[in-house]
């Protein structure tokens, strides 16, 4: 009871902030149950002046603090949950908060590294950027007599406790909603909050962000257009992340790029192709590639920072992405439809022909437009909307990919408004197709299959041993009968008919198991 009142008190404060910022004014009245109509009207009476303009929900979430900011960012990737209009509102949400003090930062660093700051860093600047979970300082270290500039990321004090508190409120709302709302159960709101909780937990362990940067650095070490800062593992812990300082030009500083005579058309190409290469080739991509997280180095390569939000695509999902992009490029809509069915995304009771027709409705308008009017991100958005008509369940990894592509495409087009997104994507997609679905890919697939077969064959002695055990048990059962406890015999005596049927079923199950083992052995041999 006390816990429920505590949740309600904190949620009441959040509702007040939503009301003051005019959030209830953008809610579709048709979605509000009759019992909620009057409270919503009353809430609108306390809207502050000027609340009717701008991104209302984004303002409210920013006022409510770190956990609500993260909730908004997460829901921006789930238009299936909050609707397309609200998701677009949330896309403008900036994860920026006032920095905490230098003294608190240095105390946190000293406690985490178990050494005074002066013993670890030659110097440590005031914060240069601050977000909901951490802030960044510029530091200097000395290694073998050589001084190097580093970026030092520090978690906010007590941020974990505050997130746990607010997440408990989110779970409370989601659980109650699923009890009383069929729509909430369909959207699986508890699972939505669970997913967000896991994501935030990973962001709040800076060792995991360091590991993501390290993995991406290995994947891209031979890329001509992209690189990742080096992690300083000796100065990295759960609460502190130290990386190479990047002195490049941030991609949101168009004036500096112009002053440096940067070829912006080429820069747009690098942004698009780097992202697609990471998603398709590596299945591991930076999922927060806004211009503030991308720099142009002195060597002409892109450099990414902030690896707190990453996306993964399994091999089947990469094949799905490559084939649908190639299908749209070549106007092979039936193949695009077939890929959805092969991946198991669309239930088999639907018609491939009907689905291909829906895909054509998306693809054909693209080929009647000029290159600068074609948006790959918009196409994927429409594709996800159409698949909903064919009972395709929400695929979080594909939605994250699509939302990242919206940002990446926007960055690229800011440098080249006439960018032909398909022409730029074509070589990357075709390279992956040829490498993975062509002759070389088939040979490697066969070798991988052979490896799996070898692993299975190595388990043959265990399989044979189990088969012999089954045979021995079957022989004992048919020769000596079952050995049962007196209580069991008494129970069987009271249910003679059930006993006969149960023994028959048991014998058939054992026999079927034995036959299945023999069939499996014969196929492998």
């Amino acid at each position: 009871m006390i816990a429920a009142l505590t949740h309600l008190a904190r949620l009441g404060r959040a509702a007040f902030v939503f009301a003051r910022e005019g959030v209830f004014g953008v809610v579709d009245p048709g979605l509000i149950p009759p019992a909620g109509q009057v409270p919503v009207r009353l809430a609108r009476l306390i809207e502050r002046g000027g609340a009717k303009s701008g991104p209302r929900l984004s303002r409210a979430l920013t006022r409510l603090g770190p956990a609500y900011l993260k909730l908004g960012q997460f829901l921006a990737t789930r238009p299936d949950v909050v609707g397309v209009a609200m998701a677009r509102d949330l896309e403008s949400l900036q994860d920026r908060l006032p920095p905490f003090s230098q003294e608190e930062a240095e105390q946190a660093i000293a406690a985490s590294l178990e050494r005074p700051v002066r013993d670890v860093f030659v110097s440590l600047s005031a914060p240069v950027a601050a977000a909901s979970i951490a802030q960044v300082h510029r530091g200097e270290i000395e290694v073998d007599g050589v001084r190097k500039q580093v970026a030092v990321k520090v978690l906010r004090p007590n941020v974990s406790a505050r997130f746990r508190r607010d997440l408990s409120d989110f779970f409370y709302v989601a659980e109650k909603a699923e009890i009383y709302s069929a729509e909430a159960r369909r959207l699986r709101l508890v699972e939505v909050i669970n997913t967000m909780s896991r994501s935030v937990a990973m962001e709040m362990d800076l060792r995991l962000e360091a590991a993501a940067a390290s993995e991406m650095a290995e994947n891209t070490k031979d890329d001509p257009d992209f690189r990742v800062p080096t992690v300083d593992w000796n100065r990295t812990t759960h609460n502190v992340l130290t990386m190479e300082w990047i002195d490049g030009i941030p991609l949101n500083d168009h004036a500096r790029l112009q002053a440096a005579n940067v070829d912006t058309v080429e820069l747009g190409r690098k942004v698009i192709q780097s992202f697609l290469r990471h998603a398709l080739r590596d299945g591991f991509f930076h999922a927060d590639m806004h211009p503030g997280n991308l720099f142009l180095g002195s060597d002409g390569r892109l450099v990414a920072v902030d690896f707190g939000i990453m996306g993964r695509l399994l091999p089947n999902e990469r094949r799905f992405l490559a084939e649908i992009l190639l299908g749209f490029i070549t106007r092979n809509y039936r193949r695009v439809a077939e890929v959805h069915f092969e991946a198991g995304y669309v239930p088999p009771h639907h018609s491939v022909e009907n689905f291909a027709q829906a895909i054509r409705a998306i693809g054909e308008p693209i080929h009647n437009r000029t290159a600068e009017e074609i948006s790959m991100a918009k196409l994927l958005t429409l594709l996800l909307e159409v698949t909903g008509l064919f009972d395709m369940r929400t695929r979080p990894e594909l939605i994250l990919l699509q939302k990242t592509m919206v940002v990446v495409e926007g960055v690229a087009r800011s440098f080249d408004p006439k960018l032909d997104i398909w022409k730029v994507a074509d070589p990357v997609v075709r390279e992956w197709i040829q490498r993975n679905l062509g002759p070389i890919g088939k040979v490697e697939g066969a070798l991988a299959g052979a490896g799996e077969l070898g692993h299975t064959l190595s388990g043959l002695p265990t399989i044979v041993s189990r088969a012999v055990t089954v045979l021995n048990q079957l022989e004992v059962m048919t020769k000596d009968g079952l050995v049962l406890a007196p209580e069991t015999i008494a129970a069987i005596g009271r249910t003679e008919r059930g006993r006969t049927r149960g023994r028959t079923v048991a014998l058939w199950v054992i026999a079927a198991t034995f036959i299945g083992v023999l069939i499996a052995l014969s196929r492998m041999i």
Side-chain angles (χ1 to χ4, degrees):
M1 183 65 180
I2 295 176
L5 290 174
T6 303
H7 287 308
L8 291 173
R10 290 197 295 257
L11 291 168
R13 173 183 173 271
F16 176 78
V17 173
F18 286 150
R20 288 287 291 165
E21 294 298 335
V23 173
F24 295 110
V26 296
V27 176
D28 183 356
L31 299 178
I32 303 173
Q37 297 283 349
V38 173
V40 167
R41 291 196 189 97
L42 292 175
R44 298 211 59 191
L45 296 176
I46 61 173
E47 286 181 6
R48 65 176 181 80
K52 294 182 179 180
S53 62
R56 309 179 192 189
L57 184 57
S58 296
R59 287 198 308 263
L61 293 173
T62 302
R63 281 188 57 187
L64 287 168
Y68 283 87
L69 268 173
K70 282 298 174 186
L71 176 65
Q73 287 184 316
F74 179 76
L75 292 179
T77 68
R78 298 298 303 271
D80 58 309
V81 175
V82 297
V84 175
M86 194 167 288
R88 286 174 181 164
D89 180 355
L90 292 171
E91 285 173 4
S92 65
L93 190 62
Q94 298 295 314
D95 191 2
R96 296 173 185 167
L97 288 177
F100 52 94
S101 70
Q102 183 79 3
E103 181 182 0
E104 287 179 299
E106 292 187 4
Q107 288 175 353
I109 293 171
S112 189
L113 297 179
E114 299 179 343
R115 286 181 289 171
V117 172
R118 63 179 178 274
D119 292 349
V120 183
F121 300 102
V122 175
S123 64
L124 188 72
S125 76
V128 296
S132 58
I133 288 179
Q135 66 185 32
V136 178
H137 300 252
R138 182 169 183 167
E140 189 177 33
I141 61 173
E142 186 172 324
V143 180
D144 299 328
V146 179
R147 292 194 174 187
K148 298 179 180 179
Q149 300 295 312
V150 292
V152 185
K153 190 171 186 177
V154 190
L155 282 185
R156 285 184 174 274
N158 303 317
V159 68
S160 297
R162 185 167 182 181
F163 263 94
R164 281 196 300 271
R165 184 197 70 189
D166 289 340
L167 282 171
S168 70
D169 294 338
F170 301 161
F171 275 116
Y172 179 80
V173 172
E175 288 165 358
K176 295 301 180 186
E178 288 198 0
I179 291 173
Y180 299 107
S181 169
E183 180 67 9
R185 290 191 293 273
R186 185 187 72 81
L187 292 172
R188 297 185 296 176
L189 293 187
V190 172
E191 179 57 30
V192 168
I193 302 302
N194 259 320
T195 303
M196 177 197 165
S197 177
R198 289 191 295 267
S199 174
V200 168
M202 293 186 69
E203 281 194 73
M204 286 194 291
D205 187 340
L206 295 182
R207 294 169 300 183
L208 298 179
E209 181 176 340
S214 177
E215 181 178 349
M216 194 166 211
E218 287 185 9
N219 292 341
T220 61
K221 64 180 183 295
D222 297 324
D223 285 10
D225 298 330
F226 187 92
R227 79 176 186 89
V228 173
T230 303
V231 175
D232 185 343
W233 287 102
N234 293 326
R235 294 171 176 82
T236 295
T237 64
H238 184 286
N239 298 321
V240 178
L241 167 60
T242 305
M243 301 181 73
E244 168 192 0
W245 180 266
I246 301 301
D247 271 322
I249 305 173
L251 295 200
N252 57 7
D253 194 339
H254 286 250
R256 284 182 63 189
L257 291 170
Q258 186 177 2
N261 295 317
V262 172
D263 184 345
T264 54
V265 173
E266 177 67 7
L267 185 57
R269 178 199 65 79
K270 289 178 182 178
V271 171
I272 289 291
Q273 290 191 345
S274 293
F275 167 70
L276 287 175
R277 194 172 287 117
H278 303 157
L280 287 173
R281 180 194 64 196
D282 308 326
F284 188 57
F285 60 92
H286 194 302
D288 195 18
M289 287 183 68
H290 63 76
N293 281 341
L294 293 173
F295 294 79
L296 182 65
S298 57
D299 58 358
R301 288 193 291 175
L302 291 172
V303 187
V305 298
D306 194 354
F307 300 87
I309 305 175
M310 305 296 292
R312 285 193 186 275
L313 295 174
L314 297 176
N316 285 343
E317 291 152 358
R318 283 181 261 168
R319 173 177 175 171
F320 170 80
L321 174 63
E323 291 218 56
I324 63 171
L325 292 180
L326 186 63
F328 277 110
I329 290 171
T330 59
R331 302 174 74 176
N332 189 347
Y333 304 121
R334 181 177 176 85
R335 182 57 192 153
V336 175
E338 290 173 345
V339 168
H340 281 78
F341 282 83
E342 290 171 5
Y345 291 167
V346 177
H349 65 265
H350 284 289
S351 164
V352 175
E353 290 75 16
N354 289 343
F355 191 54
Q357 179 183 350
I359 298 298
R360 179 179 292 275
I362 298 172
E364 281 304 294
I366 289 174
H367 294 281
N368 295 327
R369 298 180 183 178
T370 58
E372 61 265 27
E373 294 178 315
I374 299 172
S375 167
M376 184 182 294
K378 179 64 174 176
L379 180 144
L380 289 178
T381 301
L382 293 172
L383 185 61
L384 290 173
E385 290 176 2
V386 166
T387 52
L389 300 176
F390 289 82
D391 302 324
M392 176 174 162
R393 294 191 67 184
T394 299
R395 307 289 305 188
E397 68 282 355
L398 296 181
I399 291 177
L400 182 60
L401 174 80
Q402 178 264 331
K403 300 300 289 186
T404 306
M405 188 170 285
V406 169
V407 175
V408 169
E409 191 176 300
V411 173
R413 283 236 162 91
S414 70
F415 299 119
D416 180 13
K418 295 185 179 296
L419 179 71
D420 185 341
I421 193 77
W422 300 99
K423 185 176 180 180
V424 172
D426 186 83
V428 178
V429 175
R430 287 186 187 274
E431 178 187 0
W432 191 91
I433 291 281
Q434 292 169 2
R435 180 71 179 79
N436 291 273
L437 304 182
I440 295 177
K442 290 179 179 178
V443 170
E444 290 184 345
L447 291 175
E452 291 178 5
L453 178 60
H455 178 72
T456 301
L457 289 174
S458 68
L460 270 179
T462 302
I463 296 173
V464 172
S465 175
R466 290 176 179 172
V468 170
T469 300
V470 171
L471 280 173
N472 288 336
Q473 290 175 347
L474 185 62
E475 181 180 359
V476 169
M477 289 173 64
T478 55
K479 179 179 178 181
D480 300 327
L482 294 171
V483 179
L484 302 173
E487 296 84 357
T488 304
I489 294 174
I492 291 175
R494 289 192 299 267
T495 55
E496 179 63 24
R497 186 177 177 182
R499 179 193 65 80
T500 304
R501 184 183 299 117
R503 177 178 291 183
T504 303
V505 171
L507 289 172
W508 274 110
V509 168
I510 294 171
T513 303
F514 175 63
I515 292 169
V517 171
L518 292 180
I519 292 173
L521 285 171
S522 66
R523 286 180 177 175
M524 289 187 286
I525 295 173

